[in-house]
Amino acid sequence: MSKIRAAITAVEGYLPDYVLTNEELSQMMDTSDEWIMTRIGIRERRMLKEEGKATSDMAAIAVQNLLKNNNIAPEEIDGVICCTVTPDMHFPATASIVADKCGIHGGMSMDMNVGCSGFIYGLKTASLYVESGFCKKLLLIGAEKMTSAVDYQDRATAPIFGDGAAVVLLEPTEEEVGVMDAILCSDGVGRKHLHMKAGGSLKPASHETVDAREHFVYQEGQAVFKWAVSKMVSVSDEIMKRNGLNADSIKYLLPHQANIRIINAVGHHMNLPEEKVLVNIEKYGNTTSATIPLLMWENQHKFKKGDNLILTSFGAGFSWGAIYVKWAI
Ligand code: UT7
């Protein structure tokens, strides 16, 4: 019997309408379009502005469109995994809120919080559920309302992040396509460089934590930058080597969109020409768990069945990884 693999058989995405430009940010803080474009490569990002709307609302629109466009009934879905660092609430899982909003009831649902590596970790985890036969139609979501976690008084982090959501459907296949290989890594020593100080069990919310602005992303950019380049390069190298891939046989690299300089460094190290490195950071900024599935959604028309794709990411934890996917549709 041939091996069962997990294939990505559909992709959808959602971006909120409101465009937060560098010009608007420059009116809020001491920054400029020139600085943000040169140092990060972001011109604008999306913002979910409507009162009472959360991460699950963006994810639910993406899921509803996926179901509708592929004629799938909610009852057919037997698993929902939502990768996010900006859940609607501490609990319950945002995945179960999304499922409910989409009429999906009774199956497995859970969140994964692995910072910007959420989707990479989620894809490997989801593929194991599918390969084992535990799930037949599993939705893997990357969704973030990062603007709810950003301090608009902190010019070092505010320009980076944006909101968005995307979802992929995973199904079993006996063909030589789907999730082919994965490397997932982490090192908790990096936690001091990238975290949220308060709101967890270590430092529950209080007047003091709010006054000290501790409920926002805290990032020491330079340390994260150095680790991100070095780890994304080494893990991409390793996954290429052990699968006999090279710059010619890779069709596209889908790197996490944190900084154009990191993306270029990874693409350069892999000897990939510019057109093989997918980029949308200029339009959407860093949407954390959503960057890679959003890239997939926007570029799927370019992919052909059997194309070799490499996905790679680095984020809080520290966590990083790379996945080799053979496109299935
Ligand atoms: O997705 C999760 C993983 N995250 C990442 O991969 C992010 C990795 N880090 C980065 O992308 C970059 O480190 C940042 C974009 C966060 C910062 O860029 P940088 O080139 O490392 O800048 P820096 O923090 O070293 O700051 C350089 C200068 C400083 O001024 P002085 O001390 O040289 O006078 C900052 O105060 O730029 C200043 N600066 C700004 N100036 C204008 C910092 N932010 C801004 C700003 N506008 N928004």
Side-chain angles (χ1 to χ4, degrees), residues 192-224:
K192 60 180 176 289
H193 301 300
L194 182 53
H195 56 259
M196 186 178 286
K197 293 192 183 300
S201 60
L202 178 66
K203 219 179 196 192
S206 66
H207 286 294
E208 288 72 28
T209 62
V210 171
D211 290 345
R213 309 189 73 75
E214 290 181 339
H215 295 271
F216 297 115
V217 174
Y218 170 84
Q219 176 169 253
E220 293 163 7
Q222 285 191 8
V224 181

Coordinates of all heavy atoms in Angstrom, one line a residue, residues 192-224:
K192 N 13.5 36.0 25.8 CA 13.7 37.3 26.4 C 13.7 38.4 25.4 O 13.5 39.6 25.7 CB 15.0 37.4 27.2 CG 16.3 37.1 26.5 CD 17.5 37.1 27.4 CE 18.8 36.7 26.7 NZ 18.9 35.3 26.4
H193 N 13.9 38.1 24.1 CA 14.0 39.1 23.0 C 12.7 39.4 22.4 O 12.6 40.3 21.6 CB 15.0 38.6 22.0 CG 16.4 38.3 22.4 ND1 17.1 39.3 23.0 CD2 17.1 37.2 22.4 CE1 18.3 38.8 23.3 NE2 18.3 37.5 23.0
L194 N 11.7 38.5 22.6 CA 10.4 38.7 21.9 C 9.3 38.0 22.7 O 9.2 36.8 22.8 CB 10.5 38.0 20.5 CG 9.3 38.1 19.6 CD1 8.8 39.5 19.4 CD2 9.7 37.5 18.2
H195 N 8.4 38.9 23.3 CA 7.4 38.3 24.2 C 6.4 39.4 24.5 O 6.5 40.6 24.1 CB 8.0 37.8 25.5 CG 8.8 38.8 26.3 ND1 10.2 38.8 26.2 CD2 8.4 39.8 27.0 CE1 10.6 39.8 27.0 NE2 9.6 40.5 27.5
M196 N 5.3 39.0 25.2 CA 4.4 40.0 25.8 C 4.5 39.9 27.3 O 4.4 38.8 27.9 CB 3.0 39.7 25.4 CG 2.0 40.8 25.8 SD 0.3 40.5 25.2 CE 0.5 40.9 23.5
K197 N 4.8 41.0 28.0 CA 5.2 40.9 29.4 C 4.1 40.5 30.3 O 4.3 39.8 31.3 CB 5.9 42.2 29.8 CG 7.2 42.5 29.1 CD 7.9 43.7 29.8 CE 9.2 43.9 29.0 NZ 10.2 42.8 29.0
A198 N 2.9 41.0 30.1 CA 1.8 40.8 31.1 C 0.6 40.2 30.4 O 0.5 40.2 29.2 CB 1.5 42.2 31.7
G199 N -0.3 39.8 31.3 CA -1.6 39.2 30.8 C -1.6 37.7 30.9 O -2.7 37.1 30.8
G200 N -0.5 37.1 31.2 CA -0.4 35.7 31.5 C -0.4 35.4 32.9 O -0.6 36.3 33.8
S201 N -0.1 34.1 33.3 CA -0.1 33.7 34.7 C 1.1 34.3 35.5 O 1.0 34.5 36.7 CB -0.1 32.2 34.9 OG 1.0 31.6 34.2
L202 N 2.1 34.7 34.8 CA 3.3 35.2 35.4 C 3.0 36.6 35.9 O 3.4 37.0 37.0 CB 4.5 35.3 34.4 CG 5.8 35.9 34.8 CD1 6.4 35.1 35.9 CD2 6.7 36.1 33.7
K203 N 2.3 37.4 35.1 CA 2.0 38.8 35.5 C 0.6 39.1 35.0 O 0.4 39.7 33.9 CB 3.0 39.7 34.8 CG 3.5 40.9 35.6 CD 4.5 41.7 34.8 CE 5.2 42.6 35.7 NZ 6.0 43.6 35.0
P204 N -0.4 38.7 35.8 CA -1.8 38.9 35.3 C -2.1 40.4 35.2 O -1.4 41.3 35.8 CB -2.7 38.4 36.5 CG -1.7 37.4 37.2 CD -0.4 38.0 37.1
A205 N -3.1 40.7 34.4 CA -3.4 42.1 34.1 C -3.8 42.9 35.4 O -4.5 42.4 36.3 CB -4.6 42.2 33.2
S206 N -3.2 44.1 35.5 CA -3.5 44.9 36.7 C -3.4 46.4 36.2 O -2.9 46.6 35.1 CB -2.5 44.7 37.8 OG -1.2 45.1 37.3
H207 N -3.8 47.3 37.0 CA -3.6 48.7 36.7 C -2.2 49.0 36.3 O -1.9 49.7 35.4 CB -4.1 49.6 37.8 CG -5.6 49.7 37.9 ND1 -6.4 50.2 37.0 CD2 -6.4 49.2 38.9 CE1 -7.7 50.1 37.4 NE2 -7.7 49.5 38.5
E208 N -1.3 48.4 37.1 CA 0.2 48.7 36.9 C 0.6 48.2 35.5 O 1.4 48.9 34.8 CB 1.0 48.0 38.0 CG 0.9 48.6 39.4 CD -0.5 48.4 40.1 OE1 -1.1 47.4 39.8 OE2 -0.9 49.3 40.9
T209 N 0.2 47.0 35.2 CA 0.7 46.4 33.9 C 0.1 47.2 32.7 O 0.8 47.4 31.7 CB 0.3 44.9 33.7 OG1 -1.2 44.8 33.7 CG2 0.9 44.1 34.8
V210 N -1.1 47.7 32.9 CA -1.7 48.6 31.8 C -0.9 49.9 31.7 O -0.5 50.3 30.7 CB -3.2 48.8 32.0 CG1 -3.7 49.8 31.1 CG2 -3.9 47.5 31.9
D211 N -0.7 50.5 32.9 CA 0.0 51.8 32.9 C 1.4 51.6 32.3 O 2.0 52.5 31.7 CB 0.1 52.3 34.4 CG -1.2 52.8 34.9 OD1 -2.1 53.0 34.0 OD2 -1.4 53.0 36.1
A212 N 2.1 50.5 32.6 CA 3.4 50.2 32.1 C 3.4 49.8 30.6 O 4.5 49.4 30.1 CB 4.1 49.2 33.0
R213 N 2.3 49.7 30.0 CA 2.1 49.3 28.6 C 2.8 47.9 28.3 O 3.5 47.7 27.4 CB 2.8 50.4 27.7 CG 2.3 51.8 28.0 CD 2.7 52.8 26.9 NE 2.0 52.7 25.7 CZ 0.8 53.1 25.5 NH1 0.1 53.6 26.5 NH2 0.2 52.9 24.3
E214 N 2.4 47.0 29.2 CA 3.0 45.7 29.1 C 2.1 44.6 28.4 O 2.5 43.4 28.4 CB 3.4 45.2 30.6 CG 4.6 45.9 31.1 CD 5.0 45.5 32.5 OE1 4.1 44.9 33.2 OE2 6.1 45.8 32.9
H215 N 1.1 45.1 27.8 CA 0.2 44.2 27.1 C 0.4 44.2 25.6 O -0.5 44.0 24.9 CB -1.3 44.4 27.5 CG -1.6 44.1 29.0 ND1 -2.0 42.9 29.4 CD2 -1.5 44.9 30.1 CE1 -2.1 42.9 30.7 NE2 -1.8 44.1 31.2
F216 N 1.6 44.6 25.2 CA 1.9 44.8 23.8 C 3.1 43.9 23.5 O 3.8 43.5 24.3 CB 2.2 46.2 23.5 CG 1.1 47.2 23.7 CD1 1.1 48.2 24.7 CD2 -0.1 47.1 22.9 CE1 0.1 49.0 24.9 CE2 -1.2 47.9 23.1 CZ -1.1 48.9 24.1
V217 N 3.3 43.8 22.1 CA 4.5 43.0 21.7 C 5.8 43.8 22.2 O 5.9 45.0 22.0 CB 4.6 43.0 20.1 CG1 5.9 42.4 19.7 CG2 3.4 42.3 19.6
Y218 N 6.7 43.0 22.8 CA 8.0 43.5 23.2 C 9.0 42.8 22.3 O 9.1 41.6 22.3 CB 8.3 43.3 24.7 CG 9.7 43.6 25.1 CD1 10.1 44.9 25.4 CD2 10.7 42.6 25.0 CE1 11.4 45.2 25.7 CE2 12.0 42.9 25.3 CZ 12.4 44.2 25.7 OH 13.7 44.5 26.0
Q219 N 9.8 43.6 21.6 CA 10.8 43.0 20.7 C 12.1 43.7 20.7 O 12.1 44.9 20.6 CB 10.3 42.9 19.2 CG 11.3 42.4 18.2 CD 10.7 42.1 16.9 OE1 10.6 40.9 16.5 NE2 10.4 43.1 16.1
E220 N 13.2 42.9 20.9 CA 14.5 43.5 20.7 C 14.9 43.2 19.3 O 15.4 42.1 19.0 CB 15.5 42.9 21.7 CG 15.1 43.4 23.2 CD 15.8 42.5 24.2 OE1 16.6 41.6 23.9 OE2 15.4 42.7 25.4
G221 N 14.7 44.1 18.4 CA 14.7 43.8 16.9 C 16.0 43.3 16.4 O 16.0 42.3 15.6
Q222 N 17.1 43.8 16.9 CA 18.4 43.4 16.3 C 18.7 41.9 16.6 O 19.2 41.2 15.8 CB 19.5 44.3 16.7 CG 19.5 45.6 16.0 CD 20.7 46.5 16.3 OE1 21.7 46.0 16.9 NE2 20.7 47.7 15.8
A223 N 18.5 41.6 17.9 CA 18.7 40.2 18.3 C 17.9 39.2 17.5 O 18.3 38.2 17.0 CB 18.5 40.0 19.8
V224 N 16.6 39.6 17.4 CA 15.7 38.7 16.6 C 16.1 38.6 15.2 O 16.1 37.5 14.6 CB 14.2 39.2 16.7 CG1 13.3 38.3 16.0 CG2 13.8 39.4 18.2

